[in-house]
Amino acid sequence: MDNRQLIMNSALTLFYESGYDAVGVQQIVDSVGVSKPTLYYYFGSKQGLLEALLNEHFQPMEQKLTEASEIGKNIPEKLYRIARAFFNGASEDPKFYMLMMSLFYSGRKSEGFRTVYPMIDRFYRLCVDVFDNASAELGNMNGRQEQFAVGFSGTLMHYLMMTAGNHSDLSGLVIRDEEVYRLVHQFMYGIYS
């Protein structure tokens, strides 16, 4: 593994464990055994490191979510597939998912929030598109596609955060199919009512 990847792996663990703002460049380079100039060579800054880290981990997530949103005959099936893809990704890369959400819920003027926001916004826009495309199927939408997208994406993120909070070891984080089905069913019940 090259120094660039070692730095990214260490940063992910440190940011996940202590929070982005609490981790300094010196702590990152000490954990890897490289110098600060090495980190700056690859990333330019701590924020550049965070951006590279988020992009590397978000791309597979976004691809799986996009594929899931394109499959299915009806809105419940599409939402189930999106939720399943989201939770599968969280099981495969739990530190990244938890870091991504913690950055999103951090101070709005912080580097972390500004760096992660475009990714969270892309996930939200994907959900908006799903509800836009289902407006004929959901006759009571009345221009509330964005509201439904906020509710659905927020439900997934909050459910993951609460479930992960019950696991001291995230490597065992698994959200079963029946949980995903019930979550989507409950969300859909609110839409249809």
Side-chain angles (χ1 to χ4, degrees):
M1 195 176 303
D2 66 0
N3 284 340
R4 182 181 189 280
Q5 195 61 51
L6 287 170
I7 293 168
M8 289 179 64
N9 291 350
S10 180
L12 175 60
T13 298
L14 291 169
F15 294 160
Y16 161 75
E17 290 174 349
S18 301
Y20 174 75
D21 292 330
V23 175
V25 169
Q26 190 64 53
Q27 186 179 359
I28 297 167
V29 297
D30 286 349
S31 71
V32 178
V34 299
S35 64
K36 282 184 180 182
T38 303
L39 185 145
Y40 295 134
Y41 170 77
Y42 288 116
F43 305 106
S45 66
K46 180 179 154 188
Q47 185 176 6
L49 168 58
L50 178 63
E51 189 172 335
L53 177 67
L54 291 174
N55 282 324
E56 180 176 289
H57 288 261
F58 186 75
Q59 286 177 351
M61 171 191 171
E62 187 173 34
Q63 181 180 349
K64 290 174 185 174
L65 291 169
T66 299
E67 290 169 3
S69 73
E70 295 169 349
I71 299 171
K73 301 174 199 160
N74 56 40
I75 190 70
E77 186 177 348
K78 284 182 182 290
L79 294 181
Y80 173 82
R81 289 181 181 279
I82 291 168
R84 184 71 272 167
F86 182 83
F87 293 133
N88 285 349
S91 294
E92 295 164 10
D93 198 359
K95 288 180 184 177
F96 165 70
Y97 274 66
M98 298 308 292
L99 172 63
M100 180 181 67
M101 288 184 290
S102 71
L103 292 169
F104 181 65
Y105 290 109
S106 64
R108 296 301 180 243
K109 293 184 179 182
S110 70
E111 281 183 6
F113 175 80
R114 289 192 322 266
T115 306
V116 80
Y117 181 79
M119 294 163 202
I120 299 290
D121 189 56
R122 289 202 308 264
F123 174 48
Y124 164 71
R125 295 284 163 211
L126 178 140
C127 293
V128 170
D129 288 346
V130 167
F131 288 109
D132 275 342
N133 293 333
S135 60
E137 181 183 341
L138 300 171
N140 67 342
M141 194 162 302
N142 300 325
R144 296 182 294 164
Q145 293 89 323
E146 291 187 4
Q147 181 182 353
F148 290 156
V150 166
F152 183 68
S153 61
T155 297
L156 297 183
M157 287 191 259
H158 193 76
Y159 193 84
L160 178 60
M161 288 177 71
M162 295 308 294
T163 302
N166 295 328
H167 288 79
S168 58
D169 177 17
L170 288 181
S171 64
L173 179 65
V174 176
I175 298 174
R176 298 181 320 274
D177 284 339
E178 56 270 12
E179 290 176 87
V180 177
Y181 173 78
R182 283 194 315 261
L183 194 64
V184 170
H185 181 76
Q186 179 182 351
F187 181 81
M188 290 305 302
Y189 180 78
I191 289 176
Y192 286 131
S193 61

